[in-house]
Amino acid sequence: MSLYFLPDYPSRDFLAMAFNVDGEGNIPAIYSSLALLFSSLLLGAIAHVKNLDSDRYKQHWKILSFIFLYLSLDEAGQLHEKFIDPMRSLLKATGVLYFTWIVPIGFLVAIFLFSYSKFLFHLPVSTKKLFVAATALYIGGAMGMEMPGGYLASTTGAENVSYVIVTTIEESLEMLGIVVFIHALISYIKTYVGGVSWNIYIPGKHSQVTAHQNIGVPALSEAANTNLLR
């Protein structure tokens, strides 16, 4: 917004590039990638406990962890944008489908939502509500706002205030969706898994101890059952 509304000042273009939520390899992109990676780690922790318990939905948690790992890599490298040019040529797309990656990805999202419907309904009510809210925010931002953004890009171009506003809303919804999802996962771990403990062991060069001396982060809560991740 400073490029459009503020007079020139030192490092204006650099700061605009560094904090542009629609940019690549900058601060918002790194933040989003790390948030998605943290979600993948939390899902992996839950999947580990579910695997130990031979839970019916253990594979669902594992697959979710891998999906969010891919999303983290995608956010870092903008992998989905590689679909745009070939799909645009194939579909001769303009208007709301100008960013044509939403066509194949939208199809995959529909399959995913259908295949995970039973998994969703088995979750506790509070977790279920947060998962639904997070999904609506993230997909609503990533795909819902991408369509008006595509329309603006194909008709008026991307160098205007309207497009900046739409992309800012889009990326903000995605970020908010991940925040809600992380909250849902931590709440689920705290209440239904029994907390999680991450331990770090760094041996000294001439250490003589035989037992590991751990620097531990306390569990998120008192254990709700006998499963305590380490």
Side-chain angles (χ1 to χ4, degrees):
M1 290 298 182
S2 67
L3 295 178
Y4 294 103
F5 297 113
L6 297 180
D8 193 13
Y9 55 85
S11 302
R12 183 189 69 167
D13 292 347
F14 170 77
L15 290 172
M17 179 184 68
F19 290 96
N20 176 19
V21 293
D22 196 38
E24 299 179 19
N26 59 5
I27 292 172
I30 293 171
Y31 163 78
S32 295
S33 179
L34 291 176
L36 288 163
L37 179 60
F38 185 52
S39 299
S40 175
L41 292 174
L42 291 174
L43 287 163
I46 296 173
H48 177 67
V49 168
K50 298 300 182 180
N51 188 61
L52 292 176
D53 287 346
S54 298
D55 187 85
R56 176 183 177 185
Y57 292 100
K58 61 183 180 181
Q59 295 300 331
H60 289 72
W61 291 104
K62 291 179 184 178
I63 292 171
L64 272 177
S65 180
F66 282 112
I67 287 174
F68 274 82
L69 177 60
Y70 169 79
L71 290 175
S72 175
L73 297 174
D74 180 271
E75 188 67 36
Q78 299 294 312
L79 302 180
H80 66 276
E81 293 191 358
K82 300 197 169 34
F83 286 104
I84 294 178
D85 289 337
M87 290 294 295
R88 187 179 293 159
S89 300
L90 178 65
L91 300 176
K92 295 179 171 52
T94 58
V96 296
L97 294 180
Y98 186 69
F99 295 133
T100 47
W101 66 266
I102 65 176
V103 177
I105 299 300
F107 180 71
L108 293 176
V109 168
I111 294 176
F112 167 79
L113 293 177
F114 177 77
S115 62
Y116 265 71
S117 57
K118 289 185 178 179
F119 168 81
L120 179 66
F121 283 108
H122 101 282
L123 294 172
V125 174
S126 59
T127 306
K128 187 188 311 179
K129 289 180 179 178
L130 288 171
F131 272 33
V132 170
T135 302
L137 287 168
Y138 189 81
I139 295 178
M143 303 189 69
M145 295 304 298
E146 190 80 333
M147 289 188 284
Y151 175 79
L152 289 172
S154 67
T155 55
T156 64
E159 303 297 328
N160 57 78
V161 176
S162 298
Y163 181 80
V164 170
I165 291 173
V166 169
T167 55
T168 299
I169 294 173
E170 173 190 339
E171 298 295 333
S172 298
L173 287 174
E174 289 183 32
M175 291 179 183
L176 180 60
I178 296 303
V179 169
V180 173
F181 188 64
I182 289 174
H183 170 65
L185 293 176
I186 291 177
S187 298
Y188 183 81
I189 290 172
K190 179 179 179 181
T191 307
Y192 300 101
V193 175
V196 59
S197 176
W198 307 94
N199 297 314
I200 302 174
Y201 170 64
I202 305 176
K205 185 176 181 181
H206 303 291
S207 177
Q208 300 297 320
V209 296
T210 56
H212 288 182
Q213 295 178 353
N214 295 319
I215 302 172
V217 179
L220 295 175
S221 70
E222 293 297 326
N225 53 39
T226 58
N227 292 317
L228 182 62
L229 296 178
R230 286 184 174 85

